[in-house]
Amino acid sequence: MSQLGNLITVQSDKDDHFTGTIAQDAEERENFVLPQALGSANFKRSRSRLKSLHIASVQNLAWEIDFYGRDSFGTEADLDKMSFIARWGFQAADGLRIGGTGPYLYYIDGLDIPYEDADETGELHVSLVNRSVTAKLAGATGEVVVAFVFDPLAAS
C-alpha cells in the first residue's frame, strides 16, 4: 500500500496473490486488506472510488478484473443480494513491453468506480479472469501484479 497525495494504491504481491494456473474464462479470487485511510468512521465499511488500474504480467493475456462487495464473490443465490460491483477488461493487444522485453504492462485511468466493502471485512474483493485461449501459468512463469488506485476523498 502506498499513498500518492489523496490517492491510495493497493497492490497484489506476485508471491502471494494470483499464483495459480488460470484456464480460459476461469478466475482466481483474492481479498486484499484495505488501509484504514479507505475506511469510513468505523473502518470496516470501506468506501472509495477506484480511479486507475494497472497490471504487470509475464504473459501477454486478455485480463479482466471483477470487483465484488463481499467475499462471496457474486455466488449469492438471491439476486437481490448480489455483490458484483463492476469489471474492467484488457485485451492482449493492450499489453505493451518496453524494448520488446520485460513484463507486459496494462493501464487504464479515468475510472470512477464506486467501491464499498458491503460485508464489512475491511477488504477489497476482486477476481482476476483470464479471457485468453492460452492459460495463465502458475508460479514464476505466470507472475502477475495488479495495482488498484483509489481516491478515498471521492467516497460517497
Side-chain angles (χ1 to χ4, degrees):
M1 192 260 324
S2 64
Q3 188 164 350
L4 309 166
N6 290 333
L7 300 178
I8 295 175
T9 302
V10 175
Q11 181 172 306
S12 68
D13 182 308
K14 67 176 179 55
D15 298 316
D16 296 328
H17 307 113
F18 309 121
T19 57
T21 300
I22 306 176
Q24 180 183 17
D25 296 329
E27 67 178 346
E28 186 169 334
R29 299 171 179 173
E30 296 287 352
N31 294 300
F32 297 97
V33 175
L34 291 168
Q36 191 165 0
L38 290 177
S40 62
N42 68 359
F43 168 58
K44 293 291 188 180
R45 189 121 176 144
S46 297
R47 297 170 65 182
S48 58
R49 291 189 176 275
L50 180 72
K51 296 310 222 175
S52 66
L53 174 65
H54 46 99
I55 298 174
S57 172
V58 171
Q59 294 177 270
N60 184 23
L61 300 174
W63 296 115
E64 177 181 300
I65 303 288
D66 295 341
F67 299 89
Y68 297 90
R70 294 184 179 88
D71 59 12
S72 55
F73 290 92
T75 60
E76 298 86 359
D78 183 347
L79 290 181
D80 288 332
K81 296 178 181 175
M82 176 60 64
S83 67
F84 176 77
I85 293 174
R87 73 169 195 80
W88 184 263
F90 294 100
Q91 299 299 314
D94 294 331
L96 65 92
R97 295 168 80 186
I98 308 301
T101 63
Y104 290 90
L105 306 172
Y106 306 78
Y107 175 75
I108 182 67
D109 67 3
L111 298 174
D112 190 27
I113 298 173
Y115 182 80
E116 182 173 10
D117 179 31
D119 63 6
E120 300 185 12
T121 58
E123 295 174 322
L124 168 64
H125 312 288
V126 298
S127 67
L128 176 67
V129 181
N130 174 16
R131 294 295 183 195
S132 295
V133 173
T134 303
K136 177 206 170 289
L137 302 174
T141 56
E143 287 179 345
V144 60
V145 173
V146 183
F148 310 89
V149 180
F150 289 96
D151 182 353
L153 300 178
S156 53

